[in-house]
Amino acid sequence: MRRLLLTLFLLGALIPLPASESSSLFNGRWELLPERSSALDGWTDMHLVFEVEGDRVNITHDMRWRSTRVVETNSVIAGDTVEVPDFFRVEQRHMAVYPHRGAASTVSADWLDDDRTLKVKANVPVEVSQGLAMMRIECEYRLGVGDDTLTVIELHSTRNNPLVYRFRKLPAGDSSRP
């Protein structure tokens, strides 16, 4: 009996378990490193907060512009496509591309690179000077070496060049804001 229990214990230690909320390296608050990132154009500060709960990933954007603070969460499901009402994107205000109020975006997400990269694709209804249009956004959230840096690469169908944002992970429990 003792040998059977030992064998079962050893087999259990060898079988990988799916990532859980507490084990995802993405979980926590990430602070923008502005000197290593694309310009925020209209924002002065950005934090991302990740909460991974099984296949669901909540990505909260905590943005500031002077005394204005905007906190918006996009919830995606890895391996699935969902409709997200009022999908939040970092606004590039000088582009004159505005969210179509009340319209839902089609969003898919997938884990890549042994769960070290989250790829999110969104088709976002927007308002432009010519009327309504659909903007494609592809984002990759990539963990860096050491798991304390995060690079976000955004491709927009409305831009020729990608936006690249780099973040550092704040210590657990540090939710301070400048």
Side-chain angles (χ1 to χ4, degrees):
M1 182 68 162
R2 187 178 273 173
R3 181 174 237 180
L4 176 62
L5 289 174
L6 180 61
T7 302
L8 289 173
F9 174 76
L10 291 174
L11 282 175
L14 296 174
I15 298 171
L17 297 174
S20 68
E21 178 182 352
S22 61
S23 68
S24 176
L25 297 172
F26 280 83
N27 279 331
R29 180 174 281 274
W30 298 84
E31 178 181 46
L32 181 73
L33 300 171
E35 68 280 1
R36 299 187 58 221
S37 300
S38 297
L40 283 176
D41 293 338
W43 299 100
T44 54
D45 183 45
M46 174 169 53
H47 283 203
L48 292 179
V49 179
F50 276 83
E51 295 175 276
V52 179
E53 302 169 0
D55 291 336
R56 179 172 297 280
V57 181
N58 295 321
I59 306 167
T60 300
H61 293 79
D62 188 348
M63 313 284 294
R64 285 196 188 234
W65 176 73
R66 297 185 184 175
S67 63
T68 300
R69 182 176 182 192
V70 174
V71 179
E72 294 288 339
T73 301
N74 291 331
S75 292
V76 298
I77 299 176
D80 203 356
T81 300
V82 294
E83 295 292 315
V84 177
D86 299 320
F87 182 82
F88 181 80
R89 62 190 175 82
V90 178
E91 298 286 338
Q92 302 298 315
R93 295 181 181 168
H94 67 279
M95 295 286 294
V97 178
Y98 304 99
H100 183 197
R101 296 287 176 215
S105 301
T106 304
V107 184
S108 64
D110 289 296
W111 288 110
L112 308 172
D113 309 324
D114 295 324
D115 296 344
R116 295 190 58 78
T117 300
L118 178 66
K119 184 168 191 160
V120 176
K121 295 180 181 180
N123 289 317
V124 181
V126 294
E127 297 177 15
V128 296
S129 60
Q130 296 83 7
L132 299 179
M134 191 65 69
M135 177 171 42
R136 286 179 297 101
I137 300 174
E138 290 191 20
C139 295
E140 284 197 10
Y141 300 87
R142 298 179 181 178
L143 284 175
V145 175
D147 304 326
D148 60 349
T149 60
L150 177 72
T151 300
V152 178
I153 303 167
E154 288 190 17
L155 298 170
H156 294 213
S157 59
T158 57
R159 301 182 139 257
N160 291 330
N161 297 314
L163 299 168
V164 179
Y165 302 111
R166 291 181 176 85
F167 296 82
R168 73 174 179 95
K169 192 169 198 174
L170 295 176
D174 183 353
S175 61
S176 62
R177 299 284 310 186

